[in-house]
Amino acid sequence: MTSLARRTRERKLAQRLAESTGLKSPSGIAPAMPETGEGVNEYNVLLAALQNDLREISDIQSLEARNPVKLEKAHKYVDWVAGALQAGLEEKAVQDEIVVTQMIWALDYGNYTYALIIADHCLKHGLALPERYSRSLGCLVAEQVAENALAPDADIPLEILNRTHALTEKSDMPDQARAKLMKALGRALADAAEAFDPEADNAVAGGKPALTASAIDHLTLALKLNKNIGVKKELAALENALEKMGGRPAAITDPETGDQAGSTDPDEEE
């Protein structure tokens, strides 16, 4: 069988497997992978390959050095994932370790668009992380994107952070994890305010003051969720900058409640 034919077969089998057995349960938890049926043998073969790949990767001591290896190995699973995602569009899904692991890998090697497409599928259909993980899937996605965005020299677009927040805002997670995402969003909005170009085609309504106020809102929420998140000096500087711009635009709303946000006044100094 040619490589193209094999890839097409994998994609179709993954789709059929989910469509035939992956009826979403009332509890919102994806059904377990069946033991028999069309596509199960192919799944088990790919899963065995994945387990071998995971063992090889775990032998690499440098966490940073593992990521290019994950990217290289990920290609063999792309078509299976595509089939599972297609079934998901038809409201069918099954607990699939291959799909979930590819989401994790994509977060690791930095293809956030691909990772969030898979995350959307996983969260929508109630797929769980492998047993070796103690966090929920939503928590892992939110926290890992945030931590990567907060790393020195990170370059994760604001739209990725907004998408991550939208996907995970209803996921249960520790306040400290959500605080990281709010901090990352706040800093990204502050950067966008600093770089704001009123002549740009995609210039946001409200301009630099709106972006600055939104940054304040997110950093304030981060501080509320974790008083040690380390944003107080940034908040003070942003509030001073917003005051010089004439104050808070009326259109700015609280990022969690949707209510109009007031000015903030952190009660502790860093």
Side-chain angles (χ1 to χ4, degrees):
M1 185 180 295
T2 66
S3 175
L4 178 59
R6 184 179 66 251
R7 291 172 56 192
T8 301
R9 174 178 168 79
E10 287 177 357
R11 184 167 60 251
K12 290 182 177 179
L13 285 173
Q15 182 176 350
R16 290 173 186 168
L17 176 61
E19 288 174 346
S20 63
T21 64
L23 297 174
K24 188 174 181 180
S25 70
S27 64
I29 300 174
M33 181 67 66
E35 296 182 0
T36 61
E38 185 179 19
V40 173
N41 287 339
E42 285 75 8
Y43 172 78
N44 287 332
V45 169
L46 266 182
L47 183 61
L50 178 63
Q51 298 300 334
N52 286 332
D53 287 343
L54 287 169
R55 282 191 290 270
E56 288 183 24
I57 290 168
S58 68
D59 288 337
I60 302 172
Q61 295 187 25
S62 167
L63 297 179
E64 187 67 26
R66 292 178 181 182
N67 294 334
V69 178
K70 291 176 183 177
L71 176 59
E72 180 182 355
K73 291 181 178 296
H75 295 293
K76 72 178 76 170
Y77 307 105
V78 167
D79 294 289
W80 182 271
V81 172
L85 294 181
Q86 182 61 42
L89 295 177
E90 301 175 12
E91 302 301 323
K92 305 292 178 61
V94 66
Q95 180 61 39
D96 189 324
E97 188 168 342
I98 294 170
V99 171
V100 175
T101 301
Q102 292 315 298
M103 179 202 75
I104 297 168
W105 283 9
L107 289 171
D108 289 339
Y109 59 70
N111 189 337
Y112 299 105
T113 299
Y114 184 49
L116 294 180
I117 289 172
I118 303 176
D120 188 13
H121 168 87
C122 293
L123 291 166
K124 179 180 180 182
H125 297 291
L127 275 69
L129 292 173
E131 291 183 358
R132 62 185 180 273
Y133 290 89
S134 59
R135 291 179 288 181
S136 69
L137 191 143
C139 179
L140 181 143
V141 172
E143 194 165 24
Q144 186 156 347
V145 171
E147 288 177 350
N148 292 351
L150 293 170
D153 301 321
D155 187 22
I156 297 180
L158 176 59
E159 64 188 73
I160 292 294
L161 292 165
N162 280 328
R163 178 63 172 155
T164 301
H165 178 42
L167 284 175
T168 63
E169 62 179 335
K170 295 182 180 180
S171 298
D172 186 31
M173 67 184 73
D175 289 344
Q176 292 87 344
R178 196 175 300 281
K180 293 177 185 178
L181 183 57
M182 292 301 100
K183 179 178 179 178
L185 269 165
R187 284 187 172 177
L189 285 160
D191 289 343
E194 185 66 26
F196 179 73
D197 179 5
E199 303 300 324
D201 293 336
N202 61 345
V204 299
K208 188 170 183 177
L211 288 167
T212 303
S214 187
I216 290 171
D217 291 341
H218 286 83
L219 293 177
T220 300
L221 180 55
L223 184 62
K224 178 181 178 181
L225 293 168
N226 180 2
K227 66 179 182 180
N228 296 316
I229 195 67
V231 299
K232 295 171 194 169
K233 290 182 179 179
E234 293 171 67
L235 269 171
L238 287 168
E239 288 168 346
N240 287 335
L242 184 59
E243 185 177 354
K244 291 178 181 178
M245 290 180 235
R248 174 176 292 273
I252 292 299
T253 57
D254 184 273
E256 288 294 295
T257 67
D259 298 330
Q260 185 169 330
S263 62
T264 58
D265 184 20
D267 56 6
E268 297 180 70
E269 295 294 331
E270 284 189 284

Short mmCIF file of all heavy atoms in Angstrom, two decimals, residues 65-99:
data_model
loop_
_atom_site.label_atom_id
_atom_site.label_comp_id
_atom_site.label_asym_id
_atom_site.label_seq_id
_atom_site.Cartn_x
_atom_site.Cartn_y
_atom_site.Cartn_z
N ALA A 65 15.09 19.76 23.90
CA ALA A 65 15.50 18.93 22.77
C ALA A 65 14.43 17.93 22.34
O ALA A 65 14.47 17.41 21.23
CB ALA A 65 16.79 18.18 23.12
N ARG A 66 13.47 17.67 23.21
CA ARG A 66 12.41 16.73 22.86
C ARG A 66 11.45 17.31 21.81
O ARG A 66 10.86 16.56 21.03
CB ARG A 66 11.61 16.36 24.11
CG ARG A 66 12.37 15.53 25.13
CD ARG A 66 11.49 15.26 26.34
NE ARG A 66 12.21 14.48 27.36
CZ ARG A 66 11.67 14.08 28.49
NH1 ARG A 66 10.40 14.38 28.76
NH2 ARG A 66 12.39 13.39 29.36
N ASN A 67 11.28 18.62 21.82
CA ASN A 67 10.24 19.22 20.99
C ASN A 67 10.45 19.03 19.48
O ASN A 67 9.50 18.70 18.78
CB ASN A 67 10.09 20.70 21.33
CG ASN A 67 9.57 20.89 22.75
OD1 ASN A 67 8.90 20.01 23.30
ND2 ASN A 67 9.89 22.02 23.35
N PRO A 68 11.66 19.22 18.93
CA PRO A 68 11.84 18.93 17.51
C PRO A 68 11.57 17.47 17.16
O PRO A 68 11.10 17.16 16.06
CB PRO A 68 13.30 19.30 17.26
CG PRO A 68 13.67 20.23 18.35
CD PRO A 68 12.89 19.77 19.54
N VAL A 69 11.87 16.58 18.09
CA VAL A 69 11.61 15.15 17.86
C VAL A 69 10.10 14.91 17.81
O VAL A 69 9.61 14.14 16.97
CB VAL A 69 12.27 14.30 18.96
CG1 VAL A 69 11.96 12.82 18.75
CG2 VAL A 69 13.77 14.54 18.99
N LYS A 70 9.36 15.55 18.68
CA LYS A 70 7.90 15.42 18.66
C LYS A 70 7.34 15.93 17.34
O LYS A 70 6.44 15.31 16.75
CB LYS A 70 7.29 16.18 19.83
CG LYS A 70 7.58 15.58 21.18
CD LYS A 70 7.02 16.44 22.31
CE LYS A 70 7.38 15.86 23.67
NZ LYS A 70 6.91 16.71 24.79
N LEU A 71 7.87 17.05 16.87
CA LEU A 71 7.41 17.61 15.59
C LEU A 71 7.68 16.64 14.45
O LEU A 71 6.81 16.42 13.59
CB LEU A 71 8.11 18.95 15.33
CG LEU A 71 7.81 19.61 13.99
CD1 LEU A 71 6.32 19.88 13.83
CD2 LEU A 71 8.61 20.91 13.86
N GLU A 72 8.85 16.05 14.45
CA GLU A 72 9.20 15.10 13.39
C GLU A 72 8.30 13.86 13.43
O GLU A 72 7.81 13.39 12.40
CB GLU A 72 10.66 14.67 13.54
CG GLU A 72 11.13 13.67 12.50
CD GLU A 72 12.56 13.24 12.71
OE1 GLU A 72 13.22 13.78 13.62
OE2 GLU A 72 13.01 12.34 11.99
N LYS A 73 8.04 13.35 14.62
CA LYS A 73 7.25 12.13 14.76
C LYS A 73 5.76 12.39 14.57
O LYS A 73 5.00 11.46 14.27
CB LYS A 73 7.51 11.50 16.13
CG LYS A 73 8.91 10.93 16.29
CD LYS A 73 9.09 10.29 17.65
CE LYS A 73 10.48 9.66 17.81
NZ LYS A 73 10.70 8.56 16.87
N ALA A 74 5.33 13.62 14.75
CA ALA A 74 3.90 13.94 14.68
C ALA A 74 3.31 13.68 13.30
O ALA A 74 2.10 13.43 13.19
CB ALA A 74 3.68 15.40 15.07
N HIS A 75 4.14 13.71 12.26
CA HIS A 75 3.61 13.58 10.91
C HIS A 75 2.88 12.25 10.69
O HIS A 75 1.92 12.20 9.92
CB HIS A 75 4.73 13.74 9.89
CG HIS A 75 5.35 15.10 9.89
ND1 HIS A 75 4.67 16.23 9.48
CD2 HIS A 75 6.58 15.54 10.28
CE1 HIS A 75 5.45 17.29 9.59
NE2 HIS A 75 6.62 16.90 10.08
N LYS A 76 3.32 11.21 11.36
CA LYS A 76 2.70 9.90 11.12
C LYS A 76 1.29 9.80 11.70
O LYS A 76 0.56 8.87 11.36
CB LYS A 76 3.58 8.79 11.70
CG LYS A 76 3.61 8.70 13.20
CD LYS A 76 4.46 7.54 13.71
CE LYS A 76 5.93 7.86 13.59
NZ LYS A 76 6.78 6.85 14.29
N TYR A 77 0.90 10.78 12.53
CA TYR A 77 -0.41 10.72 13.17
C TYR A 77 -1.40 11.76 12.62
O TYR A 77 -2.56 11.78 13.03
CB TYR A 77 -0.26 10.93 14.68
CG TYR A 77 0.74 9.98 15.30
CD1 TYR A 77 2.01 10.43 15.68
CD2 TYR A 77 0.44 8.64 15.48
CE1 TYR A 77 2.94 9.56 16.24
CE2 TYR A 77 1.36 7.76 16.03
CZ TYR A 77 2.61 8.23 16.41
OH TYR A 77 3.54 7.36 16.95
N VAL A 78 -0.94 12.60 11.70
CA VAL A 78 -1.76 13.70 11.20
C VAL A 78 -3.06 13.22 10.58
O VAL A 78 -4.14 13.78 10.82
CB VAL A 78 -0.96 14.55 10.19
CG1 VAL A 78 -1.87 15.49 9.42
CG2 VAL A 78 0.13 15.33 10.90
N ASP A 79 -2.99 12.16 9.79
CA ASP A 79 -4.19 11.72 9.08
C ASP A 79 -5.19 11.06 10.01
O ASP A 79 -6.40 11.22 9.83
CB ASP A 79 -3.79 10.78 7.94
CG ASP A 79 -2.98 11.50 6.88
OD1 ASP A 79 -3.56 12.33 6.16
OD2 ASP A 79 -1.76 11.29 6.82
N TRP A 80 -4.70 10.32 11.00
CA TRP A 80 -5.62 9.76 11.97
C TRP A 80 -6.35 10.87 12.73
O TRP A 80 -7.56 10.82 12.92
CB TRP A 80 -4.87 8.85 12.95
CG TRP A 80 -5.79 8.21 13.94
CD1 TRP A 80 -6.18 8.69 15.15
CD2 TRP A 80 -6.51 6.98 13.77
NE1 TRP A 80 -7.07 7.85 15.76
CE2 TRP A 80 -7.28 6.79 14.94
CE3 TRP A 80 -6.53 6.02 12.75
CZ2 TRP A 80 -8.10 5.67 15.09
CZ3 TRP A 80 -7.35 4.91 12.93
CH2 TRP A 80 -8.13 4.75 14.08
N VAL A 81 -5.61 11.88 13.14
CA VAL A 81 -6.21 13.02 13.84
C VAL A 81 -7.24 13.71 12.96
O VAL A 81 -8.34 14.05 13.42
CB VAL A 81 -5.13 14.01 14.30
CG1 VAL A 81 -5.77 15.28 14.86
CG2 VAL A 81 -4.22 13.37 15.35
N ALA A 82 -6.92 13.89 11.68
CA ALA A 82 -7.84 14.56 10.76
C ALA A 82 -9.16 13.80 10.66
O ALA A 82 -10.24 14.40 10.63
CB ALA A 82 -7.20 14.70 9.38
N GLY A 83 -9.09 12.48 10.62
CA GLY A 83 -10.30 11.68 10.56
C GLY A 83 -11.14 11.82 11.81
O GLY A 83 -12.37 11.93 11.76
N ALA A 84 -10.48 11.80 12.97
CA ALA A 84 -11.19 11.96 14.24
C ALA A 84 -11.84 13.34 14.33
O ALA A 84 -12.98 13.47 14.81
CB ALA A 84 -10.23 11.74 15.40
N LEU A 85 -11.15 14.37 13.87
CA LEU A 85 -11.70 15.71 13.92
C LEU A 85 -12.91 15.84 12.99
O LEU A 85 -13.88 16.53 13.31
CB LEU A 85 -10.64 16.74 13.54
CG LEU A 85 -9.45 16.90 14.50
CD1 LEU A 85 -8.50 17.97 13.99
CD2 LEU A 85 -9.89 17.22 15.91
N GLN A 86 -12.85 15.18 11.84
CA GLN A 86 -13.97 15.22 10.91
C GLN A 86 -15.21 14.58 11.54
O GLN A 86 -16.32 15.10 11.43
CB GLN A 86 -13.61 14.49 9.61
CG GLN A 86 -14.71 14.52 8.56
CD GLN A 86 -15.07 15.92 8.12
OE1 GLN A 86 -14.19 16.77 7.93
NE2 GLN A 86 -16.37 16.19 7.98
N ALA A 87 -15.02 13.46 12.22
CA ALA A 87 -16.15 12.83 12.91
C ALA A 87 -16.68 13.76 14.00
O ALA A 87 -17.90 13.81 14.25
CB ALA A 87 -15.72 11.50 13.51
N GLY A 88 -15.78 14.49 14.64
CA GLY A 88 -16.21 15.42 15.68
C GLY A 88 -17.13 16.50 15.16
O GLY A 88 -18.01 16.97 15.88
N LEU A 89 -16.94 16.90 13.91
CA LEU A 89 -17.82 17.90 13.31
C LEU A 89 -19.24 17.37 13.18
O LEU A 89 -20.19 18.15 13.07
CB LEU A 89 -17.29 18.31 11.93
CG LEU A 89 -15.93 19.03 11.92
CD1 LEU A 89 -15.49 19.30 10.50
CD2 LEU A 89 -16.00 20.33 12.72
N GLU A 90 -19.38 16.06 13.17
CA GLU A 90 -20.70 15.42 13.09
C GLU A 90 -21.17 14.95 14.46
O GLU A 90 -22.01 14.06 14.58
CB GLU A 90 -20.63 14.24 12.11
CG GLU A 90 -20.21 14.67 10.71
CD GLU A 90 -20.02 13.49 9.76
OE1 GLU A 90 -20.42 12.36 10.12
OE2 GLU A 90 -19.47 13.71 8.67
N GLU A 91 -20.60 15.57 15.50
CA GLU A 91 -20.98 15.31 16.89
C GLU A 91 -20.68 13.88 17.33
O GLU A 91 -21.37 13.31 18.17
CB GLU A 91 -22.48 15.62 17.11
CG GLU A 91 -22.88 17.04 16.78
CD GLU A 91 -22.12 18.07 17.63
OE1 GLU A 91 -21.87 17.79 18.80
OE2 GLU A 91 -21.78 19.13 17.08
N LYS A 92 -19.64 13.28 16.77
CA LYS A 92 -19.23 11.93 17.15
C LYS A 92 -17.77 11.97 17.59
O LYS A 92 -16.92 12.59 16.93
CB LYS A 92 -19.37 10.97 15.97
CG LYS A 92 -20.76 10.93 15.34
CD LYS A 92 -21.78 10.32 16.26
CE LYS A 92 -23.16 10.32 15.64
NZ LYS A 92 -23.25 9.54 14.39
N ALA A 93 -17.47 11.33 18.70
CA ALA A 93 -16.09 11.26 19.18
C ALA A 93 -15.96 10.09 20.13
O ALA A 93 -16.94 9.62 20.70
CB ALA A 93 -15.68 12.55 19.88
N VAL A 94 -14.73 9.63 20.28
CA VAL A 94 -14.42 8.53 21.18
C VAL A 94 -13.12 8.87 21.89
O VAL A 94 -12.30 9.63 21.37
CB VAL A 94 -14.31 7.20 20.38
CG1 VAL A 94 -13.12 7.23 19.45
CG2 VAL A 94 -14.26 6.00 21.32
N GLN A 95 -12.94 8.36 23.10
CA GLN A 95 -11.69 8.61 23.83
C GLN A 95 -10.52 8.07 23.02
O GLN A 95 -10.46 6.88 22.73
CB GLN A 95 -11.73 7.96 25.21
CG GLN A 95 -10.48 8.18 26.03
CD GLN A 95 -10.21 9.65 26.32
OE1 GLN A 95 -11.13 10.41 26.58
NE2 GLN A 95 -8.95 10.06 26.27
N ASP A 96 -9.60 8.94 22.65
CA ASP A 96 -8.56 8.59 21.68
C ASP A 96 -7.23 9.17 22.16
O ASP A 96 -7.00 10.38 22.10
CB ASP A 96 -8.93 9.16 20.31
CG ASP A 96 -8.04 8.70 19.18
OD1 ASP A 96 -6.83 8.52 19.42
OD2 ASP A 96 -8.54 8.53 18.06
N GLU A 97 -6.34 8.29 22.63
CA GLU A 97 -5.07 8.75 23.17
C GLU A 97 -4.17 9.35 22.09
O GLU A 97 -3.36 10.23 22.37
CB GLU A 97 -4.35 7.60 23.88
CG GLU A 97 -3.11 8.05 24.63
CD GLU A 97 -2.56 6.99 25.55
OE1 GLU A 97 -3.28 6.04 25.89
OE2 GLU A 97 -1.38 7.12 25.96
N ILE A 98 -4.32 8.88 20.86
CA ILE A 98 -3.52 9.44 19.77
C ILE A 98 -3.87 10.90 19.57
O ILE A 98 -3.00 11.78 19.48
CB ILE A 98 -3.74 8.63 18.47
CG1 ILE A 98 -3.21 7.21 18.62
CG2 ILE A 98 -3.07 9.33 17.29
CD1 ILE A 98 -3.59 6.28 17.49
N VAL A 99 -5.15 11.21 19.50
CA VAL A 99 -5.60 12.58 19.29
C VAL A 99 -5.15 13.48 20.44
O VAL A 99 -4.60 14.57 20.20
CB VAL A 99 -7.14 12.61 19.15
CG1 VAL A 99 -7.65 14.04 19.15
CG2 VAL A 99 -7.56 11.91 17.85
#
